[in-house]
Amino acid sequence: MTQQTVTRRTGRRTQQERSSTTTQQLLTAARKLFARDGYTLTSLDAICDAAEVTKGAFYHHFKNKEQLFRAVYEREQQDLSSAIAQKYSHYKDPWEALFQGMREFLVGSMEPSTQRITLIDAPGALGWEAMREIRADCRRMMFYGLCQALGKGRFPRHEIESLASMVYGAQCEAAMAMAHADDPDGLLEATLRQFRHLFDSVRRMPATLEP
């Protein structure tokens, strides 16, 4: 008889299940407070009260508020990556898929709570190095999308890597600019037009054979 079977029959939760539940409560409460009040003004006491857990339980799962914020930030990036991948999969043309995936990134980053956590507070709370590490999946998705759009074997890997870094960097900077813009919707539309022009130019590049 497995532990899961025993748990179902007795109605008792395992230590692992209780620990997972506490973690989820803390992440949910922290995200709500970070999005509403910001990282600096959100106290551990407020998070624990909202999550209905003790300070001792908090320190059993997280070292400090920064580590909890990092976990919240990681979840935001995972959700964004999933949304981008889903949007990308809806288009057969690889260039349109790449453009729509990038659009999903920008639009998703503009959602107020996501924007507050990932663009306004994260640079100060985590630092750029940690942010870059956590956002690596989005960077890899850009590289993959460009590989599919440019065609197999037409360009050396290092050229696609270079292009992916440039486009992804521009995308991230555009999202940051929109977070501080007076007219973010207008800036979004202008940014999308510029990216459309950029992709139209890139897709016409002549192939560069491997040396």
Side-chain angles (χ1 to χ4, degrees):
M1 184 179 295
T2 67
Q3 181 63 50
Q4 289 182 334
T5 302
V6 172
T7 301
R8 286 197 298 269
R9 289 186 177 181
T10 63
R12 297 174 182 172
R13 296 186 301 168
T14 65
Q15 178 61 38
Q16 183 177 4
E17 289 172 331
R18 290 194 295 272
S19 178
S20 178
T21 297
T22 300
T23 299
Q24 295 306 313
Q25 290 174 207
L26 286 166
L27 287 171
T28 300
R31 187 197 186 279
K32 181 178 180 179
L33 292 174
F34 288 146
R36 188 188 71 189
D37 302 329
Y39 176 76
T40 301
L41 295 180
T42 298
S43 68
L44 285 183
D45 287 332
I47 293 171
C48 290
D49 287 346
E52 298 183 338
V53 303
T54 65
K55 272 281 193 68
F58 170 85
Y59 284 116
H60 180 73
H61 292 83
F62 298 97
K63 179 181 178 181
N64 50 34
K65 187 173 73 168
E66 179 182 336
Q67 189 179 68
L68 175 60
F69 183 85
R70 180 182 175 115
V72 171
Y73 180 82
E74 287 174 345
R75 178 177 284 188
E76 292 296 308
Q77 292 301 316
Q78 290 165 3
D79 290 344
L80 191 56
S81 294
S82 296
I84 293 169
Q86 185 175 17
K87 178 67 71 172
Y88 181 92
S89 67
H90 289 168
Y91 297 86
K92 292 183 179 180
D93 178 70
W95 283 106
E96 188 62 26
L98 182 64
F99 177 82
Q100 294 298 335
M102 186 213 62
R103 186 181 190 280
E104 186 68 22
F105 172 88
L106 294 174
V107 173
S109 296
M110 288 177 67
E111 194 279 321
S113 58
T114 299
Q115 188 178 80
R116 179 64 183 263
I117 292 168
T118 64
L119 297 174
I120 296 176
D121 284 349
L126 299 177
W128 289 108
E129 184 175 348
M131 289 176 64
R132 188 173 186 275
E133 175 188 344
I134 296 168
R135 295 189 308 194
D137 277 348
C138 281
R139 165 62 176 72
R140 282 192 290 268
M141 291 169 70
M142 177 62 73
F143 174 75
Y144 172 83
L146 284 168
C147 284
Q148 298 303 305
L150 290 169
K152 184 177 180 180
R154 297 183 64 239
F155 296 89
R157 180 184 177 92
H158 69 269
E159 288 198 13
I160 303 177
E161 286 279 8
S162 176
L163 182 60
S165 294
M166 293 169 62
V167 176
Y168 181 67
Q171 175 182 273
C172 291
E173 183 59 29
M176 185 65 73
M178 282 182 277
H180 299 277
D182 293 331
D183 180 15
D185 291 331
L187 184 56
L188 170 64
E189 292 307 314
T191 299
L192 290 174
R193 285 195 298 272
Q194 295 304 319
F195 271 115
R196 181 71 82 178
H197 294 323
L198 174 63
F199 287 165
D200 286 344
S201 297
V202 172
R203 72 190 303 172
R204 293 194 296 268
M205 290 193 312
T208 302
L209 299 179
E210 291 279 5

